[in-house]
Amino acid sequence: MSTPEKVPVLTTMYLSLPLLAFLFNFALDFSNAVPQNPRGPRSSVTSCLTSRQVPYSVKGSVNYSSLSTPFNLRLPYQPAVITIPSTLDQVSYSVTCAAAAGLKVQAKGGGHSYASFSIGGQDGSLIIDMQTFSSITVDQSTFVAKIGAGQRLGNVALALYAQGKRALPHGTCPGVGIAGQALHGGYGYGSRSWGLTLDRIVALDVVLANGTQIHTTSTSYPDVFYAMRGAGNSFGIATYLYLSTVPAPTTVLSFSSDFSDSFHQVDIAAKGYAALQNFTLTSPAINSKLGFGVYIDTRGIIGLNGWCIDCSMLNLKNVILPGLISGFPGSKFTIQSYTWSQAVANIAGDPLSQPLGNAYTMHDTFYAKSIATRNSVPLSSAAIKNYLSYFVANEDGIPRIFSIMNLYGGPGSLINTPSPTSSAYSDRDSLWVIQNFARTPNGKPPFDPSLVSLVQGASNAVTSAQPDGMFQGYINYIDPLLTATQAAEQYYGAVTYSKLLGIKTKVDPGFLFWNPQAVGNSMAL
Ligand SMILES: Cc1cc2nc3c(=O)[nH]c(=O)nc-3n(C[C@H](O)[C@H](O)[C@H](O)COP(=O)(O)OP(=O)(O)OC[C@H]3O[C@@H](n4cnc5c(N)ncnc54)[C@H](O)[C@@H]3O)c2cc1C
Ligand SMILES: *[C@@H]1O[C@H](CO)[C@@H](O)[C@H](O)[C@H]1NC(C)=O
Ligand SMILES: *[C@@H]1O[C@H](CO)[C@@H](O)[C@H](O)[C@H]1NC(C)=O
Ligand SMILES: *[C@@H]1O[C@H](CO)[C@@H](O)[C@H](O)[C@H]1NC(C)=O
C-alpha cells in the first residue's frame, strides 16, 4: 500500500486551516518516502542505526524470524528492520533513523495486535521492539506503578501484588502486552469498578516523531497525553507507562452459568437475553462491582462468566444471578470465592508469568471484529434474535466462531464516567462490546477465508437488524479489513478524529507512526 494512493481528492472549498496543513504535510511525507540513499532505505537505515549503536535485526539475522512473527499468524509481514533498544536514546535514534530513511514506524509491545500492526501492518516498516523495557515499580507513597512498555499483563499483575498488594483493571490473557492494551483501552471484569486500563494512566514517557523524549501528563504536553490514550500507535513510542493502581480486593466472587439448553429454542433464548439486558439496566442490585460477559459459539454453548468484586455473597446468589438468568428456563449458576491472585490466575488460562519479547512463542491464526452498542439504545429484540439465529444456522462441532458480549455500561460503570473529551478513547456510552471471533481449529495457518465472511455475518446479524443502533467498535479488537475511514468512524467518531488529525499534523507531520488505519490515513470525517 503506497502513500500516494492515500492522498485524498478534495475540493479546497471547505478546507479548514489544519486540514490544509495536513494535506501539505502529507505531500511532504510522500517526497520523504522516496529514499535519498541510492542503496535504498534499508541500507541507509542500518548504517544510521549502526552509527548510533542501536541493536537491530534484519532479514537473515539470528532472531529476525522470531522477532517478526506476529501473534496472529494469519497476517505475517516483513519489517525492513526491527530495533531492540535498551536505552531511551536508542529509541530516539530508532525513530530518527527511520524518518531519515523514509520508513514507517510502529512499536511492538506484547505483539497481540489482531491486525499485526506491531510488525507494521505492511511489509517494510521499522519496528521498535520494546522487550528490554521491562521494569515494574510501584511508588509506595502514591501507588502509581511505572511499567516498562515491553511488559505483559500476567507479569504486571504478579509484580503489582508483590509490591503492596496492588492491582489494575486489565484483560485476561497473561501474554498480552500492557502497552498496546493500555494505550488503546483495556477491558477486564474489574473495569466497571476501576475503569479501562487506559483510564488508570496518569503519565507516559514518550518518544515523539522528532526523537524528543517527553514526560506527558494532563498538564505537560496535554495534546500528546490526550492522543496517546486511545490512539497511541499513531502518536509516539511509549517507553514507560505510569498507572494509578488500586488496592487488590479481598475477595472476588467468580461466577458462571450455562444456558446451552436454550440454544435451539431461539425464541426462548432471545427472551432470556432481553431479560438479562433489562435486569442489567434496571435492577437496583446492579452496581460497579459486577463485571461479566455472555458467551455463545457455533457448537451450541451459551453462558455467562463474571466477577463480583468485594461483593455480598447473599446478594449475588439470591438477587443478582437469579435476576440475570431468569429468562433461561432451568439454568443454574456456580459461584467460587477467590483471593485477587487466585481470581486473576483462574481466568488467565496460562501461567501468569510469561517470557518477554521473542522468547514468547504463543500464536494463533484468526480474524475478529467488534460491535460497541449504546447505553442509550439497548439491543433490540430483533437484533438479539437475529444474532442468536445466526449461531444456530451455522451450528457445527468445532466451533468455527464464538462471540463474547462484555458488559461495559449499565448503572455505576466506571468505564463510562470519564468525559468523552478527556482522551482519544472517547466512547463513554457503550453498553455491550460484542466480539465475534474465528480461528483455525488448531490455531495454525492456513486460514480458511470463508471464516472472514462468517465473522462479518455474525456482526451484520446484529447491526442489520437494528439500523438505529449507532454501533461503534473497540480498537483493541481491531478489524484489519476496515478501510482507514471506516476505522476512524468506528473507533473515534468525527469529533475525536478531527481533534486527533490536528494533533497529528503538529507532532508527527511526516506521518512517521503509521499502520494501515493510523490517524492521518483518512481525511476529517
Ligand atoms: C489472546 C488475546 C486476548 C485478549 N484479551 C483482551 C481482553 O481481555 N481485554 C481487552 O481489552 N483486550 C484484549 N485483547 C486485545 C488486546 O488488548 C490488544 O490486542 C492490544 O492492543 C495488545 O497489546 P500488545 O502490546 O500485546 O500488542 P502489540 O501488537 O504489541 O501492539 C498493539 C498496537 O499498539 C502499538 N503499540 C504497542 N506498544 C506501543 C508503545 N510502547 N508505544 C506506542 N504504541 C505501541 C503497536 O504498534 C500496535 O499498533 C486480547 C488480545 C488477544 C490476542
Ligand atoms: C425489567 O426489569 C425490571 C426489574 O429490574 C422489571 O420490573 C421489569 O418488569 C422488567 N421489564 C421487562 C420488560 O422485562
Ligand atoms: C535471540 O533471542 C533470544 C530470546 O530472546 C535471546 O536470548 C538471544 O540473546 C537473542 N540472540 C541474539 C543474537 O540477539
Ligand atoms: C519535537 O516535537 C515536539 C512536539 O511537536 C516539540 O514540542 C519539540 O520542540 C520538537 N523538538 C525539536 C528538537 O524540534
Side-chain angles (χ1 to χ4, degrees):
M1 195 169 302
S2 71
T3 313
E5 288 169 13
K6 299 263 172 198
V7 175
V9 183
L10 275 188
T11 58
T12 46
M13 268 170 65
Y14 304 107
L15 290 187
S16 62
L17 261 182
L19 217 52
L20 276 172
F22 163 70
L23 278 176
F24 175 67
N25 284 309
F26 217 106
L28 272 185
D29 172 53
F30 171 43
S31 56
N32 281 348
V34 178
Q36 310 294 311
N37 185 323
R39 291 173 301 153
R42 183 172 136 182
S43 64
S44 88
V45 78
T46 52
S47 52
C48 179
L49 294 169
T50 303
S51 75
R52 300 302 192 179
Q53 298 181 312
V54 181
Y56 67 84
S57 175
V58 291
K59 202 173 175 194
S61 301
V62 179
N63 278 339
Y64 179 81
S65 166
S66 60
L67 286 164
S68 62
T69 304
F71 178 77
N72 185 2
L73 299 173
R74 191 176 78 79
L75 298 171
Y77 299 104
Q78 292 222 331
V81 53
I82 301 164
T83 66
I84 309 108
S86 56
T87 66
L88 291 177
D89 284 350
Q90 289 176 355
V91 176
S92 292
Y93 289 134
S94 300
V95 167
T96 52
C97 288
L103 297 180
K104 299 300 185 190
V105 175
Q106 285 284 272
K108 182 166 180 174
H112 282 66
S113 168
Y114 282 20
S116 297
F117 284 171
S118 49
I119 52 163
Q122 65 167 1
D123 291 337
S125 293
L126 181 141
I127 301 308
I128 305 179
D129 188 313
M130 298 303 294
Q131 62 176 281
T132 77
F133 290 76
S134 60
S135 61
I136 305 171
T137 45
V138 181
D139 181 308
Q140 293 300 313
S141 57
T142 60
F143 296 111
V144 169
K146 178 181 180 184
I147 304 177
Q151 269 298 352
R152 301 185 189 276
L153 299 181
N155 302 332
V156 169
L158 289 170
L160 299 188
Y161 193 77
Q163 294 179 52
K165 299 198 168 126
R166 307 301 295 184
L168 281 172
H170 55 70
T172 51
C173 293
V176 168
I178 184 74
Q181 174 153 113
L183 295 175
H184 305 100
Y187 171 90
Y189 292 148
S191 290
R192 294 186 75 259
S193 295
W194 308 313
L196 300 169
T197 320
L198 174 146
D199 297 322
R200 310 303 308 183
I201 299 177
V202 293
L204 294 164
D205 289 343
V206 177
V207 173
L208 298 172
N210 59 10
T212 301
Q213 298 158 13
I214 64 165
H215 180 76
T216 173
T217 65
S218 59
T219 53
S220 166
Y221 295 90
D223 281 359
V224 176
F225 191 63
Y226 167 89
M228 285 297 292
R229 292 172 305 131
N233 61 7
S234 294
F235 286 89
I237 308 295
T239 53
Y240 291 97
L241 298 91
Y242 300 78
L243 296 133
S244 167
T245 63
V246 298
T250 313
T251 52
V252 174
L253 300 179
S254 172
F255 54 85
S256 64
S257 178
D258 184 274
F259 339 127
S260 303
D261 287 351
S262 305
F263 184 76
H264 290 110
Q265 297 160 287
V266 171
D267 284 317
I268 291 176
K271 284 201 181 107
Y273 266 69
L276 182 149
Q277 176 174 253
N278 173 53
F279 185 82
T280 302
L281 288 171
T282 60
S283 168
I286 301 289
N287 60 33
S288 66
K289 294 170 181 293
L290 187 72
F292 68 87
V294 186
Y295 175 95
I296 183 169
D297 69 29
T298 49
R299 268 176 315 186
I301 310 278
I302 328 181
L304 70 77
N305 295 292
W307 282 355
C308 207
I309 294 172
D310 283 336
C311 277
S312 143
M313 174 67 99
L314 282 181
N315 195 37
L316 182 65
K317 192 169 146 186
N318 297 336
V319 183
I320 298 178
L321 286 172
L324 285 175
I325 68 173
S326 65
F328 297 98
S331 56
K332 296 191 171 55
F333 55 81
T334 59
I335 305 176
Q336 279 276 340
S337 182
Y338 288 131
T339 63
W340 172 250
S341 300
Q342 287 170 334
V344 173
N346 180 257
I347 55 167
D350 299 305
L352 288 179
S353 176
Q354 289 289 327
L356 302 182
N358 57 315
Y360 177 87
T361 55
M362 293 215 292
H363 300 285
D364 200 351
T365 304
F366 65 99
Y367 173 70
K369 66 191 277 105
S370 64
I371 306 167
T373 82
R374 302 301 86 215
N375 248 311
S376 47
V377 191
L379 282 172
S380 68
S381 302
I384 292 170
K385 192 169 168 186
N386 232 29
Y387 170 63
L388 299 178
S389 303
Y390 188 82
F391 281 81
V392 175
N394 290 289
E395 187 174 358
D396 60 43
I398 301 178
R400 283 176 300 164
I401 50 173
F402 72 82
S403 180
I404 302 172
M405 184 173 108
N406 278 321
L407 180 66
Y408 275 50
S413 176
L414 265 284
I415 298 173
N416 289 331
T417 308
S419 147
T421 58
S422 62
S423 75
Y425 192 102
S426 54
D427 182 358
R428 300 303 183 166
D429 177 47
S430 52
L431 175 56
W432 306 105
V433 170
I434 303 172
Q435 165 170 226
N436 295 313
F437 192 107
R439 65 159 58 89
T440 57
N442 63 1
K444 297 196 167 92
F447 188 84
D448 174 355
S450 72
L451 290 175
V452 167
S453 38
L454 209 59
V455 167
Q456 289 169 333
S459 289
N460 291 341
V462 176
T463 56
S464 67
Q466 192 168 1
D468 69 347
M470 298 190 289
F471 300 112
Q472 289 185 253
Y474 173 36
I475 193 167
N476 263 335
Y477 300 153
I478 199 156
D479 175 358
L481 294 177
L482 299 183
T483 64
T485 302
Q486 287 170 328
E489 281 162 354
Q490 293 195 19
Y491 302 137
Y492 300 115
V495 172
T496 304
Y497 188 72
S498 107
K499 190 165 169 187
L500 288 173
L501 262 184
I503 301 170
K504 179 81 172 170
T505 328
K506 276 193 285 176
V507 303
D508 182 12
F511 291 74
L512 187 69
F513 299 118
W514 190 96
N515 62 58
Q517 297 176 3
V519 171
N521 286 351
S522 171
M523 296 307 302
L525 301 177

